[in-house]
Amino acid sequence: MTDILRWGVVATGGIAGAVTSDLLLVPGIEVHAVSSRALTKAEEFAGRFGIPRAYGDYHELLADPDIDVVYVATPHSQHHEVASAALRAGKNVLCEKAFTITVAQAEELVALAESRGLFLMEAMWTRFIPLVRKLRALLADEAIGEIRLVRADFGFRAPYDPGHRLWNPALGGGALLDLGVYPVSFAHMVLGVPSELHVHGSRAASGVDAEAALLLGYPDGAQALLSTSLLAGTGITAEVVGTTGRIEVASPFYAPTAMTLHRNGAEPETFRHELWGNGYTYQAREVVEQIAAGEVESPEMAWADSVNVMRTLCAALGRMGVAHPASQTSSGP
């Protein structure tokens, strides 16, 4: 492997385009190839971003000996299939969230990466946004005392189309896996793994979850109140409340450019930080730095974090009676 990491992008949808444009900004990265089920789409994508090689099948991309890292941007239902194939082909992997559609699949990916000594990370870019890192630093310094409550919401109205990936159970559709992963991962980041889970919501005619409200409970009484929806705009904000203050994370909380610290008895303090590119640059740089250091996982988005978030998501889906094809019964809080 040279000092330049050559990346291969699997899929050519909207998220693939947004992330690829940011990959091109990061030193140490060359986007070397792209694949799509339709070769014409791969060729168009390659032309748009100046990518040298285009493939009509992801297996061809994985067989390319010049690729060091594979970015998986397929629908959720294909994450496990493509990421596991990439790891078996000896490639490092950045896989979109939600990481998989079952806990068992997530555990399998982790075990495979560990056995092969390869880098694997869920693309939860929020963890690497500068203001989110600042938030964690403030919480670690007990800037708002003991954390008692996390609130986070992410919802918008999406026109119902049972064939669209958002509404199609075969593609891992539904609010929780697509949008709810953000507030759930945010709560896990701040408070850790919950000991209790309460869920309320509704399902679409296609069988996927259309909206959900989650209450995560913790042994010391702390709680997280989370919501997600494909039926209504909930706002995309988050707040962490402690015994001596609170921190408001501006919309969109998954990639904030502003955050306000409210300390009891003090004037509010607002922090601002503009994003580099679309904001996916920070997670890409993390991949580069961790691989250069010989690491196989990121301490800021560790394997255990991804598995535990999937455990909460799958437990919530199970309690709503939602089962995606190939999903398995998962234990959870």
Side-chain angles (χ1 to χ4, degrees):
M1 188 180 297
T2 66
D3 291 337
I4 298 294
L5 288 176
R6 297 184 177 91
W7 290 53
V9 177
V10 178
T12 56
I15 186 62
V19 172
T20 297
S21 67
D22 274 11
L23 291 177
L24 298 174
L25 301 176
V26 180
I29 289 178
E30 175 188 312
V31 183
H32 191 65
V34 60
S35 71
S36 174
R37 286 176 297 178
L39 179 58
T40 53
K41 287 186 177 180
E43 290 172 339
E44 186 278 329
F45 192 96
R48 182 161 33 122
F49 293 105
I51 300 171
R53 300 177 187 176
Y55 296 107
D57 188 303
Y58 77 82
H59 291 98
E60 296 176 1
L61 182 147
L62 298 183
D64 189 329
D66 295 326
I67 292 175
D68 306 306
V69 182
V70 171
Y71 166 55
V72 181
T74 63
H76 310 133
S77 56
Q78 293 179 289
H79 287 179
H80 175 262
E81 172 192 332
V82 178
S84 59
L87 292 167
R88 289 191 177 93
K91 313 299 186 185
N92 301 287
V93 173
L94 175 66
C95 182
E96 266 306 330
K97 73 289 172 222
F99 196 39
T100 54
I101 60 170
T102 72
V103 177
Q105 288 181 350
E107 291 174 333
E108 287 171 13
L109 287 184
V110 167
L112 186 56
E114 186 173 27
S115 69
R116 301 297 176 102
L118 292 166
F119 184 84
L120 169 68
M121 190 177 85
E122 180 183 8
M124 180 47 74
W125 58 309
T126 300
R127 299 275 178 115
F128 308 99
I129 299 295
L131 283 183
V132 176
R133 282 174 158 160
K134 176 67 174 177
L135 169 69
R136 291 203 302 273
L138 289 169
L139 297 177
D141 289 341
E142 300 184 347
I144 58 171
E146 181 184 356
I147 302 167
R148 306 308 305 155
L149 174 66
V150 170
R151 295 192 189 97
D153 307 289
F154 187 6
F156 56 73
R157 182 169 178 80
Y160 180 69
D161 174 1
H164 190 278
R165 67 170 186 84
L166 287 175
W167 299 101
N168 189 339
L171 297 179
L176 275 165
L177 289 183
D178 201 80
L179 308 181
V181 62
Y182 282 104
V184 169
S185 186
F186 186 86
H188 274 247
M189 179 188 73
V190 174
L191 286 172
V193 180
S195 55
E196 296 181 43
L197 170 64
H198 304 274
V199 185
H200 181 75
S202 67
R203 290 188 294 171
S206 61
V208 303
D209 54 301
E211 58 190 344
L214 280 63
L215 167 60
L216 309 186
Y218 294 82
D220 66 351
Q223 57 194 288
L225 302 176
L226 316 173
S227 76
T228 185
S229 178
L230 293 174
L231 301 180
T234 63
I236 315 174
T237 58
E239 183 178 34
V240 182
V241 181
T243 52
T244 62
R246 59 190 174 87
I247 300 174
E248 294 178 339
V249 185
S251 180
F253 78 83
Y254 56 73
T257 57
M259 180 176 71
T260 301
L261 169 63
H262 300 267
R263 298 182 199 253
N264 294 351
E267 288 295 315
E269 183 179 1
T270 297
F271 304 91
R272 301 185 186 278
H273 196 293
E274 294 303 312
L275 297 178
W276 174 22
N278 297 311
Y280 302 104
T281 45
Y282 306 104
Q283 71 174 0
R285 184 171 61 188
E286 177 75 2
V287 174
V288 170
E289 291 176 350
Q290 293 299 331
I291 291 176
E295 301 296 335
V296 293
E297 64 179 314
S298 164
E300 294 182 75
M301 192 64 239
W303 294 341
D305 292 342
S306 293
V307 172
N308 286 329
V309 168
M310 282 308 308
R311 200 175 300 280
T312 297
L313 289 169
C314 289
L317 288 168
R319 292 177 194 190
M320 292 182 65
V322 175
H324 295 96
S327 66
Q328 303 173 23
T329 301
S330 305
S331 60

